[in-house]
Amino acid sequence: QPCWSEYLMTRIEQNMVVNCTCPISECRAQPTTAFIYSIVSSEEIIAKYEKALLRRYVECCSNLTWCTNPQGCDQILLKDGLGYGAACSKCSWISCFNCNFPEAHYPASCSHMSRMTCAKCSHGFCWRCLKPWRPNHKDYYNCSAMVSKAACQEKRFQDYNERCTFHHHAREFATSLRNSISSIREMPKIRNLTFVLDACKVLEQARKVLAYSCVYSYYNQDTESMDIVEQQTESLELLTNAL
């Protein structure tokens, strides 16, 4: 029993317990959950084992996925029936279930998004140049492969990239502002600031749409509907700046 306990605990710590087999080389039998519970006594190790089982279950279910909030969230989401605008019930993050980009990116389509993330190890890379997302891609869509496709588009790409990055930074400011107001609201003798918090949330969403509108506009510059899109984007930006 001590040998089995040490073996299983090591496998659990290494996140390799789900597919582990008997340590005897010619034996392919896998320890059952009941057997592991009877051998391993550490509550901490058992908790890690149960998390491993849950991760494996989610990976095996095509209609389940984890919340993609980069700040970290352990909520499991059901893909079926969730369209754009469906937020995580725990952290309110809006995920995209059609591609590997970490958040919903309307109005940009999934094909517009360059960042890919490995579901196993979370390694981020650019599918255009296959280089790691960081540090070369520390700014959104800053891919040399995109720029080098046509020298005449370099200036245009840089303009859209700068606008996109600006709106993402402005969105981070709105988030920081909302967090600051949330802490102030907890102080005594401070009047209700709910309307300010609501305004910050709207500001975050507007900056997000403006950022991905830059991606949409960059890829669809020659379409007939772009004049209307640009007008709507300009109007939204003016109102957002006023807010």
Side-chain angles (χ1 to χ4, degrees), residues 59-140:
E59 290 175 1
C60 292
C61 294
S62 60
N63 65 329
L64 295 180
T65 186
W66 297 99
C67 175
T68 59
N69 190 333
Q71 301 301 320
C73 179
D74 58 1
Q75 186 78 346
I76 299 173
L77 305 178
L78 181 66
K79 294 181 183 180
D80 295 347
L82 288 180
Y84 174 77
C88 173
S89 59
K90 184 174 183 179
C91 69
S92 300
W93 184 260
I94 304 177
S95 304
C96 178
F97 299 126
N98 296 318
C99 71
N100 288 325
F101 199 75
E103 70 172 341
H105 41 74
Y106 179 84
S109 68
C110 293
S111 61
H112 294 156
M113 312 313 295
S114 298
R115 181 176 180 174
M116 302 292 285
T117 303
C118 176
K120 294 293 183 181
C121 67
S122 299
H123 171 67
F125 64 96
C126 175
W127 64 266
R128 292 181 178 274
C129 66
L130 300 182
K131 294 180 180 179
W133 189 255
R134 293 182 180 275
N136 295 331
H137 294 77
K138 59 183 178 180
D139 290 330
Y140 286 83

Side-chain angles (χ1 to χ4, degrees), residues 26-201:
E26 62 269 19
C27 180
R28 309 307 302 169
Q30 292 184 323
T32 64
T33 298
F35 178 75
I36 292 176
Y37 282 150
S38 68
I39 295 295
V40 179
S41 58
S42 170
E43 294 183 0
E44 181 180 354
I45 299 298
I46 287 297
K48 291 182 179 179
Y49 170 64
E50 291 175 344
K51 287 183 179 179
L53 290 180
L54 182 60
R55 284 196 301 270
R56 178 60 182 273
Y57 177 75
V58 174
E59 290 175 1
C60 292
C61 294
S62 60
N63 65 329
L64 295 180
T65 186
W66 297 99
C67 175
T68 59
N69 190 333
Q71 301 301 320
C73 179
D74 58 1
Q75 186 78 346
I76 299 173
L77 305 178
L78 181 66
K79 294 181 183 180
D80 295 347
L82 288 180
Y84 174 77
C88 173
S89 59
K90 184 174 183 179
C91 69
S92 300
W93 184 260
I94 304 177
S95 304
C96 178
F97 299 126
N98 296 318
C99 71
N100 288 325
F101 199 75
E103 70 172 341
H105 41 74
Y106 179 84
S109 68
C110 293
S111 61
H112 294 156
M113 312 313 295
S114 298
R115 181 176 180 174
M116 302 292 285
T117 303
C118 176
K120 294 293 183 181
C121 67
S122 299
H123 171 67
F125 64 96
C126 175
W127 64 266
R128 292 181 178 274
C129 66
L130 300 182
K131 294 180 180 179
W133 189 255
R134 293 182 180 275
N136 295 331
H137 294 77
K138 59 183 178 180
D139 290 330
Y140 286 83
Y141 327 115
N142 184 22
C143 176
S144 58
M146 294 173 65
V147 180
S148 60
K149 280 186 175 181
C152 63
Q153 292 187 353
E154 181 174 358
K155 181 61 168 63
R156 177 169 164 265
F157 169 79
Q158 290 178 347
D159 289 343
Y160 278 107
N161 183 59
E162 289 175 1
R163 287 170 55 191
C164 181
T165 303
F166 168 79
H167 289 304
H168 277 296
H169 288 166
R171 177 186 173 191
E172 292 173 358
F173 168 77
T175 302
S176 176
L177 181 62
R178 176 167 57 86
N179 292 336
S180 298
I181 294 173
S182 296
S183 61
I184 293 174
R185 193 175 59 167
E186 301 301 323
M187 298 174 63
K189 298 182 180 180
I190 297 295
R191 64 178 184 175
N192 195 317
L193 296 176
T194 302
F195 73 99
V196 184
L197 290 173
D198 291 341
C200 288
K201 292 177 182 178

